[in-house]
Amino acid sequence: MEQIENDQIITVTEVDSSSSSMSTAINEKTMTGNDGVNDLSVQLERSAKRTELIESTEKGSTSAKNPVYVEWHGVNYSITEESNKPSWWNKMGNSDSKLESGKHVRTLIENIHGCANPGEILAIMGPSGCGKTTLLNLLGDRVGSKGVQGTVTLNGHKPTKKSKRFVAYCTQDDIFFPQLTVKETLSYTARLRLPREMSRRDKLKQVDNTMSLLNLSKCANTIIGDHRTRGVSGGERKRTNIASELLTDPSVILLDEPTSGLDSSLALELTKILKEFAVKQKKTIIMVIHQPSSQVFESFDKLMLMADGHMVYFGERAGVVDYLADQGYKCHPNFNPADYILELLNDNTIKQKLINGYAHSIRDDPTGKQAIEKYSRRSRTDNQLSNTILNAPVTSTRRWEATFLQQVSILTQRTFKQSRSVILSRVDIFQTIALAIICLIVWLQIPFAETNIADRVGSIFFCGVFWSFHPMIGAVSSFPLDLVMLSKERQSRSYRLLSYYLSKQIAELPLVMFNPALFTIPVYWAANLLPDFGRFVAYLIVILLGTVTSQSFGYFFGATLLNVQKSICKYYFKYFNFINSNCNISN
């Protein structure tokens, strides 16, 4: 009986546990289903919000009214390199050496052709070092004319300086001022580059819409940061870089690795945003991308494949799998075509075969002009746009959107915010206070006696020399470090060079004078130099003039050499020469 009762208890326990596990499983399925529904609703809500934000800027969009067709054919680019150039050490040690320096031409890309239509995304793919970024630089007119052959047109016209206003370029390296927040960075860009007819309120509203569109609202008040200062994440920096170009309403957007540093979800979201911008606002988007996911790959309209500076494929994205199959390389149905393409192009034998195969397919069209006519919608008879729009030159009536005074005002505000934490850092202020304390200990209340003349001369000499050379160190590195940002903004026609220089002088002048004044005021009175307010003011003016002059020399060396190390060496050389000459005079 006890055995039967035990068996019954065990059976009841098993039934209870199984029923509880079934109920748990049902609950988990229900929760999973609810999570799926929630995720779907979140995605639908985000998609609706994205559409609303894009449509809110569609009315005033330049590209929606005047789309731009980008076409290029027969493009070659080569650079000249020096080979077998012996070093000065080899020349000294081996005077009879037969090594001779020579120059040879290296071709980076050869016979490249393609086109990009408004409302479409063209993706340029290929292994690292195949010339993708070089081609993008050529399309964005970023390399000059030396070594460039072929034709690049916007609506059938060659690009000019004034057409750069309509071409945005998102570089692979995210270049920003590290001490500015995300919102400040975008706000200054909008005030400089958006049409002057827009009010400041509308420009800032567009900044808010763009930040919401790219999920940057949470980090709007976080500084960008750099390798020394903690700021936003790498993905947020990348999205800020894209946002700074999107908010200026360009007709053509060139992007170099826009999804690098982003997870697969954010990469897909960004691609969807770009796709919707292209469709709704008739923007022409060309992006260099290395290894997209299958979902991102499906969103492309046109595809260009490159390898070793040569064409491997150009045409519809949907046709690349069939093209590779015709070449003898069939992609498996469940395999990501992008991964399969890179796998093929990283094999030297297959890569060369595909290069030769594409060259053979266009043997009757060596420059690729006929291929462009096939894929470009500008030359189609079924295009609904008028010939006036299709052949309209891409140009602007203004060289800059902001007036000269607006440029100086905006850049002064930005430079002051960026330089304030650099010039007036805690380290510099602490150093100034510590130096003042040391000088107070050494020259405290110098008596008015003949034996103390040397002490007074030493105090005046030290203060004058120190503040005539110390500010030069920071000024020397100013232009070389700002050069990358300056080049980026100048190429996008953001402001005049004179506006940049004037704003830099106006913004940094009070900042540079703060530390010398903080040092001189207590040291002068504590050293008991001359207890007269008028002479103190004259002394302070001399110190400040020496500081400003020193800063000017620093700017001169930095702008001339554009190398921080060389400029600082030049500074120390001048400093020690000055000290030695003064010591010789005193002796």
Side-chain angles (χ1 to χ4, degrees), residues 124-352:
I124 304 174
M125 289 180 56
S128 298
C130 69
K132 304 186 297 292
T133 301
T134 302
L135 175 61
L136 205 66
N137 289 333
L138 283 169
L139 298 179
D141 196 17
R142 299 288 176 114
V143 297
S145 58
K146 186 178 180 181
V148 180
Q149 296 176 342
T151 304
V152 178
T153 60
L154 305 177
N155 286 351
H157 300 273
K158 290 186 177 181
T160 62
K161 288 184 177 180
K162 291 186 178 181
S163 63
K164 287 187 177 182
R165 152 74 178 84
F166 302 94
V167 180
Y169 190 107
C170 293
T171 58
Q172 187 172 356
D173 298 323
D174 307 318
I175 305 166
F176 295 109
F177 287 113
Q179 301 301 328
L180 300 180
T181 65
V182 171
K183 188 170 185 178
E184 287 171 346
T185 300
L186 298 179
S187 298
Y188 289 129
T189 301
R191 291 170 62 189
L192 284 168
R193 296 178 60 184
L194 285 178
R196 65 178 67 173
E197 291 82 11
M198 290 180 66
S199 64
R200 181 170 176 175
R201 182 179 178 182
D202 291 339
K203 291 179 181 179
L204 296 181
K205 184 179 179 181
Q206 189 155 332
V207 169
D208 292 334
N209 289 341
T210 306
M211 286 195 299
S212 300
L213 192 63
L214 293 173
N215 297 324
L216 290 170
S217 300
K218 292 182 180 179
C219 62
N221 297 317
T222 306
I223 64 171
I224 300 294
D226 55 11
H227 61 282
R228 292 181 298 179
T229 308
R230 186 176 180 180
V232 296
S233 66
E236 289 168 340
R237 284 175 65 95
K238 178 63 68 177
R239 281 179 282 153
T240 304
N241 187 18
I242 296 171
S244 65
E245 300 298 337
L246 279 180
L247 66 86
T248 60
D249 186 31
S251 299
V252 181
I253 305 176
L254 309 176
L255 303 108
D256 191 6
E257 299 284 358
T259 58
S260 63
L262 303 180
D263 56 49
S264 58
S265 175
L266 282 176
L268 179 60
E269 180 74 14
L270 175 61
T271 310
K272 286 181 178 178
I273 291 170
L274 293 173
K275 179 71 173 179
E276 201 154 349
F277 259 108
V279 173
K280 291 189 176 297
Q281 297 189 8
K282 304 298 180 187
K283 295 189 184 297
T284 305
I285 298 179
I286 304 172
M287 69 165 67
V288 166
I289 195 163
H290 188 66
Q291 199 165 7
S293 65
S294 56
Q295 289 176 299
V296 172
F297 184 79
E298 291 293 323
S299 65
F300 301 147
D301 298 288
K302 297 283 193 306
L303 181 66
M304 175 186 287
L305 301 181
M306 295 180 66
D308 292 343
H310 295 82
M311 297 276 293
V312 173
Y313 173 80
F314 175 72
E316 300 292 337
R317 184 266 313 158
V320 67
V321 175
D322 293 336
Y323 174 79
L324 292 175
D326 293 340
Q327 298 292 320
Y329 305 102
K330 188 175 182 180
C331 180
H332 299 289
N334 296 325
F335 204 77
N336 181 6
D339 293 336
Y340 183 67
I341 288 168
L342 288 179
E343 186 178 323
L344 294 177
L345 295 181
N346 280 311
D347 185 292
N348 291 330
T349 305
I350 298 175
K351 174 174 63 178
Q352 193 58 48

Side-chain angles (χ1 to χ4, degrees), residues 403-547:
T403 63
F404 176 73
L405 293 178
Q406 287 174 341
Q407 291 174 13
V408 173
S409 173
I410 295 167
L411 292 174
T412 299
Q413 295 175 34
R414 188 180 73 174
T415 305
F416 184 83
K417 286 188 176 181
Q418 163 63 22
S419 302
R420 180 177 54 189
S421 56
V422 176
I423 297 176
L424 299 183
S425 64
R426 292 181 181 178
V427 175
D428 284 341
I429 293 176
F430 177 78
Q431 175 186 333
T432 302
I433 294 173
L435 188 64
I437 292 172
I438 293 172
C439 291
L440 291 177
I441 295 172
V442 174
W443 291 298
L444 183 63
Q445 292 297 314
I446 303 173
F448 284 93
E450 187 177 351
T451 55
N452 299 111
I453 292 177
D455 295 333
R456 292 178 178 276
V457 172
S459 173
I460 295 171
F461 177 77
F462 175 79
C463 296
V465 170
F466 180 81
W467 291 112
S468 293
F469 284 92
H470 178 69
M472 191 186 295
I473 299 176
V476 155
S477 60
S478 181
F479 279 131
L481 296 179
D482 286 356
L483 182 62
V484 179
M485 189 68 182
L486 178 63
S487 300
K488 173 190 172 183
E489 293 182 328
R490 286 277 296 158
Q491 286 178 338
S492 61
R493 311 294 291 172
S494 297
Y495 48 77
R496 299 172 174 87
L497 187 61
L498 180 61
S499 302
Y500 163 78
Y501 181 75
L502 288 178
S503 64
K504 190 170 184 66
Q505 299 305 308
I506 296 169
E508 293 187 354
L509 188 63
L511 300 175
V512 171
M513 288 183 174
F514 178 80
N515 280 332
L518 179 66
F519 173 87
T520 304
I521 292 172
V523 169
Y524 180 89
W525 294 106
N528 195 27
L529 292 179
L530 277 175
D532 181 76
F533 183 75
R535 298 192 179 187
F536 159 73
V537 172
Y539 182 80
L540 180 61
I541 290 174
V542 170
I543 294 294
L544 294 180
L545 286 175
T547 301

Side-chain angles (χ1 to χ4, degrees), residues 358-369:
Y358 188 77
H360 181 74
S361 66
I362 61 167
R363 60 188 181 279
D364 297 329
D365 181 25
T367 62
K369 196 170 183 179

